Amino acid sequence: AVMKKIMGEEKALALGGEHKIATMIFCDIRGYTSLTEKIDTLIAVRILNEFLRSMTEAVFEEEGTLDKYIGDCVMAIFGAPVSHPDDPLRAVRTALDMKERVGKLKAQWREHIKILEIEQFEIGIGIHTGEVIAGNVGYIKRMEYTVVSTAVNLASRLENYAEPGQIIISRATFDQVKGAVQAVKLPAAKLKNISQPVDIYEVKGLKK
């Protein structure tokens, strides 16, 4: 659906973008570098590929857009180029699915790869909702569809702030999902290159 929308627009192959309200999710592995130092390189690549595949499937399940892989980090967008009324909630559901999927992956790796170091494998997730410029960025011979703005940077900073196993969302996202999500307010976070402390919440699950 994302590909059809992008390729179906008259200016699809031009550089530039449009204003959108979107929710960005960053999901990064904790302890992967130290893990790779202790295991065979081929096994490390297998683990990374299986992780990226599973996290990408979680994004697609909620009809999000996979923006890019940044090393062992997954960046996804909800709200561009395809929008839904509940994009922030879709992002949170994706994050919860990602945590569950990591648990299942670790169980499989324990059984088939049999390395104790796999217990170090955890993820941290950051989510923020805000205004972005969405469109083709780069050079006409090498461009990619992505979103750029301070809102994207904030989402990335929240992921960096998250502890292993944590899903951290901003107030902007929380205000959109609070009726459906169990979350605990945390002390305001001082984030790198963000001038003011940011109100944040840790997602615990969905309300029943």
Side-chain angles (χ1 to χ4, degrees):
V2 171
M3 181 177 67
K4 287 179 180 178
K5 180 173 176 61
I6 294 174
M7 298 307 295
E9 295 179 354
E10 292 182 4
K11 297 180 180 179
L13 298 182
L15 294 172
E18 59 181 334
H19 288 274
K20 290 267 193 178
I21 299 297
T23 300
M24 284 64 62
I25 175 171
F26 285 79
C27 171
D28 192 27
I29 302 173
R30 298 293 187 261
Y32 183 70
T33 301
S34 60
L35 173 63
T36 58
E37 293 174 348
K38 301 174 183 177
I39 61 177
D40 182 81
T41 302
L42 291 177
I43 294 177
V45 172
R46 172 185 167 183
I47 288 173
L48 179 59
N49 285 337
E50 290 179 359
F51 166 76
L52 294 176
R53 172 187 55 78
S54 188
M55 298 304 101
T56 302
E57 288 174 352
V59 173
F60 291 165
E61 283 285 331
E62 293 288 346
E63 299 182 5
T65 301
L66 175 69
D67 185 282
K68 61 175 68 74
Y69 302 131
I70 310 167
D72 54 15
C73 177
V74 176
M75 176 187 170
I77 316 162
F78 291 82
V82 178
S83 301
H84 306 87
D86 60 345
D87 279 318
L89 182 57
R90 288 171 182 259
V92 171
R93 288 200 302 252
T94 297
L96 290 167
D97 188 19
M98 286 173 164
K99 278 191 63 174
E100 185 174 341
R101 285 169 177 267
V102 166
K104 292 178 180 178
L105 284 172
K106 288 173 70 172
Q108 294 173 12
W109 294 334
R110 287 189 204 102
E111 180 179 355
H112 299 295
I113 300 178
K114 301 184 186 304
I115 51 173
L116 295 176
E117 289 81 8
I118 206 61
E119 295 304 326
Q120 301 173 24
F121 193 103
E122 291 290 349
I123 57 173
I125 298 175
I127 303 175
H128 176 57
T129 303
E131 186 173 349
V132 301
I133 300 296
N136 292 319
V137 175
Y139 171 50
I140 193 64
K141 293 184 178 180
R142 175 63 178 90
M143 58 186 174
E144 62 179 16
Y145 185 89
T146 189
V147 291
V148 293
S149 74
T150 56
V152 180
N153 295 336
L154 179 52
S156 177
R157 296 290 184 265
L158 291 177
E159 175 268 305
N160 287 329
Y161 188 84
E163 296 291 333
Q166 273 191 323
I167 301 171
I168 300 296
I169 64 176
S170 66
R171 173 179 285 278
T173 299
F174 175 77
D175 287 344
Q176 298 293 318
V177 303
K178 59 186 177 184
V181 170
Q182 295 177 356
V184 176
K185 192 176 190 310
L186 301 178
K190 295 181 179 180
L191 305 176
K192 183 179 179 181
N193 296 332
I194 305 294
S195 60
Q196 298 296 322
V198 177
D199 289 336
I200 60 172
Y201 298 77
E202 180 180 0
V203 174
K204 296 294 188 179
L206 298 176
K207 289 183 179 178
K208 297 181 180 179

